[in-house]
């Protein structure tokens, strides 16, 4: 399937593979097929205050989601297939691209960065600042 589809309440699957030659059905979530994977990722980052890019069945992503949920934030989660990871690498300053969390359009890092921000007491104010949490 080309584009974006909802897998569960808080999980979206982003398919960055080339579009099929058929026209998508009107019931599917439409995405500009001319949009490159890099542009699509950039747009998704800018549209969501908290977004996590992960591999399918990533345990670190699960921990990220649980940490944010205990605070009261439910991030958008995009699961990337192995062949889609390369498009995310240009947004990350680390060698491993996933999981990658973006808050307010800025790359925060992986699980260690998220936990460090939380333990330092700066996570909640940052989430409030970007409109992902109301206190």
């Amino acid at each position: 399937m080309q584009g974006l589809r909802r897998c569960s309440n808080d999980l979206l699957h982003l398919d960055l593979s080339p579009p099929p030659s058929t026209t998508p059905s009107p019931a599917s979530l439409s995405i500009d097929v001319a949009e490159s994977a890099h542009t699509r990722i950039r747009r998704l980052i800018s549209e969501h205050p908290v977004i996590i890019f992960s591999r399918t069945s990533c345990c670190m992503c699960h921990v990220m989601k649980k940490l944010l949920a205990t605070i009261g934030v439910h991030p958008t989660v995009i699961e990337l297939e192995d062949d889609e990871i390369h498009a995310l690498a240009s947004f990350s300053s680390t060698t491993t691209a996933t999981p990658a969390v973006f808050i307010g359009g800025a790359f925060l890092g992986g699980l260690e960065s998220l936990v460090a921000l939380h333990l330092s007491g700066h996570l909640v104010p940052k989430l409030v600042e970007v409109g992902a949490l109301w206190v």
Side-chain angles (χ1 to χ4, degrees), residues 47-65:
E47 290 175 350
H48 300 278
V50 180
I51 187 166
I52 297 171
F53 290 94
S54 173
R55 286 188 165 105
T56 305
S57 303
C58 174
C59 63
M60 290 183 288
C61 177
H62 177 76
V63 173
M64 282 181 165
K65 290 187 329 187

Side-chain angles (χ1 to χ4, degrees), residues 68 70-73 121-135:
L68 290 167
T70 60
I71 296 170
V73 174
H122 294 102
L123 180 58
V124 169
K126 185 160 188 74
L127 293 169
V128 169
E129 178 184 328
V130 301
L133 182 65
W134 295 272
V135 289

Side-chain angles (χ1 to χ4, degrees), residues 50-121:
V50 180
I51 187 166
I52 297 171
F53 290 94
S54 173
R55 286 188 165 105
T56 305
S57 303
C58 174
C59 63
M60 290 183 288
C61 177
H62 177 76
V63 173
M64 282 181 165
K65 290 187 329 187
K66 288 297 182 186
L67 171 60
L68 290 167
T70 60
I71 296 170
V73 174
H74 299 284
T76 300
V77 178
I78 306 293
E79 286 192 350
L80 301 174
E81 299 299 327
D82 288 336
D83 60 331
E84 300 167 332
I85 300 297
H86 71 280
L88 182 63
S90 64
F91 295 95
S92 169
S93 61
T94 62
T95 55
T96 55
T98 59
V101 64
F102 292 80
I103 298 178
F107 175 67
L108 176 66
L111 178 59
E112 287 183 20
S113 300
L114 183 66
V115 170
L117 192 64
H118 177 59
L119 293 175
S120 70

